[in-house]
Amino acid sequence: MARTVRDVALSTRSARERLEHSGKPYFRSIDNGLHIGYRKGKTGGRWVVRWYKGKQDYRVETIGTADDVIDADGVQILNFSQAQAHARDLFVKRRYELNGVSAPRSGPYTVKDCLDDYVEWMGEKRKSSADARYRANGIIIPDLGDIDCEKLTADRIKRWLHAAAKKPPRLRSKNGEPQKYRVLHNDDESKRRRQATLNRTLTVLKAALNRAWRDKKISSDSEWRRVEPFEAVDGARPRYLKVEEAKRLLNASPLAFRRLVQAALATGARYGELAVLNVNDFNSDSDTLHIRTSKSGKGRHVYLTTEGVSLFGALTAGRSADEPLLVKDDGSRWATSHQIRPMKEACAAAKVKGATFHCLRHTYASLAIMNDAPLFVVAKNLGHADTRMVEKHYGHLASSYMADAIRAGAPRFGFKLDKKVVELRPGK
């Protein structure tokens, strides 16, 4: 085992408290070509590793939160010695990757290893790795992380799943601060929402295990396949805006945000997809908008209505191809979470209740389907591979399609109603 290095400025919590706040890490060499670093924030710090790639090139990666506020758990919160061990493990892994081979394992392939591999793969192939990482680190790894995947049983997963459903929901907490939780309510709706959250987390766990099994890192997939999610806990039907509500919202929005809302209503695109658009993503020849960055990692072309074509034509007129298509008042791009506050303010001014920016995507899909747009066409414009998600969330809105199908195909029995029955019909 490698020797643990000591450092008077970094080894203890009290020593790190005396360091000045700095955007640059305090580094300490722990091996040839390897340094452990401490980046101090306002309320705590994070451990980083700097390793030598070769040809005067270094790489810096964050490996965990320092135990400045809460005690180390060896997984997410690390003391100085634990941070060194994580740094050395990462260094070995990266050196093998540079040579195009996988690092040999010195111990069991644990659930944590499996999830780490899956999140890394998601980061390369998908755009939704942040959610998977959050669920893995916050919900799965603390309880199942140390278990050898070969010894992970269906009963153990079931016990974890039902125990987690009884815990209070986590709240977003600042790095280095103790985890915050919502109040745990026992009403039926609170239980349903908690179980629905755990179903999505179980999906992440199963996806990670399935990928490891396909990569032959686990010998069998029989155990987790026997674990079923909670039943009948799907979320309520998505909130969508009526046309009158959408118009009030647009009128209540400042100009830059109004353009963003208009783009969402015209395309059904997600906020993150809209935020990265450039002027050349609008094609006036085909009347389409090219979504280059999507949740699935695959691009798509959104076909626009004449209203949508007019909107994007006005937004792109006379502008350079590589300029951001949608910008804030100061000319900068919309970034992560920048839509939350203006959406709340616009909803309050427009007296639109219970709507988030994602409701604009639901609005596009819901109104399109109620106007008899085929489910397959709506699904393709939204970026779904097939119609399953659209049918699940919006299929009930396709009233005319359902009504026509029933009227065309349901059996007739030649009912004859006498006068008294007809007079008793509602509304007569």
Side-chain angles (χ1 to χ4, degrees), residues 34 56 59 95 105 107 127 131 184 197 202-203 209 237 335 347 374 379 395 406:
L34 180 64
Q56 305 302 313
R59 289 288 184 269
R95 296 301 297 178
R105 302 203 61 81
K127 297 298 179 182
D131 180 70
L184 182 62
T197 296
L202 177 63
T203 298
L209 292 168
R237 289 173 179 172
C347 285
I406 289 296

Side-chain angles (χ1 to χ4, degrees), residues 227-289:
V227 180
E228 296 180 351
F230 293 105
E231 296 182 352
V233 296
D234 284 342
R237 289 173 179 172
R239 165 80 160 103
Y240 68 91
L241 305 183
K242 297 179 180 179
V243 173
E244 295 78 9
E245 289 180 306
K247 289 181 177 179
R248 294 206 310 270
L249 180 66
L250 288 169
N251 292 333
S253 300
L255 180 59
F257 185 65
R258 187 188 311 152
R259 291 170 177 165
L260 186 66
V261 173
Q262 288 172 327
L265 291 172
T267 62
R270 301 176 180 90
Y271 170 74
E273 296 170 342
L274 296 171
V276 298
L277 289 173
N278 288 334
V279 168
N280 62 355
D281 289 322
F282 170 61
N283 188 327
S284 59
D285 294 328
S286 61
D287 293 343
T288 59
L289 189 71

